[in-house]
Amino acid sequence: GNSDCVRYLLECGANPYVKNSFKNGMTPREEASVFDDESATSVLSVYNEICDNPSNNYWVKASAGDLDHFFTNPLPININAANNSGRTLLHLVSKKGYFPFAQWLIQQHAELDIPDQTGCTP
């Protein structure tokens, strides 16, 4: 369902803070909150679980390039831990071009040669 897609996208590094530029300037989460049905409730539950839970939101913060979050909050996981797609934090920030963030992760001993499920390394 839609909530499975949202979970997959967030865990793969989709930025939930990007606003809709062609319609009303809302984020996907804000869009979902407009609807009052079972699908929207399920989608919002996934957003709450991943984006609002301090033990999960490091993926979201990394995909948004929020390096300051990592300066003030210790990583609750191994820096080389992978998401469901086999991507590490270094994969996410490198792909998005957040090079100061990537440099910081490397200084924190992020490994450069961990392949994701497609065989790509950061």
Side-chain angles (χ1 to χ4, degrees), residues 39-96:
S39 178
T41 301
S42 179
V43 164
L44 288 171
S45 175
V46 170
Y47 272 107
N48 293 340
E49 174 191 340
I50 293 177
C51 298
D52 297 340
N53 183 337
S55 66
N56 292 330
N57 72 358
Y58 52 91
W59 293 104
V60 174
K61 297 296 185 180
S63 70
D66 187 359
L67 181 55
D68 290 338
H69 175 80
F70 290 84
F71 288 150
T72 57
N73 298 284
L75 277 172
I77 60 161
N78 178 309
I79 199 156
N80 294 305
N83 64 13
N84 291 341
S85 299
R87 293 186 182 103
T88 64
L89 294 173
L90 187 56
H91 281 93
L92 293 177
V93 301
S94 298
K95 183 175 182 175
K96 291 183 177 266

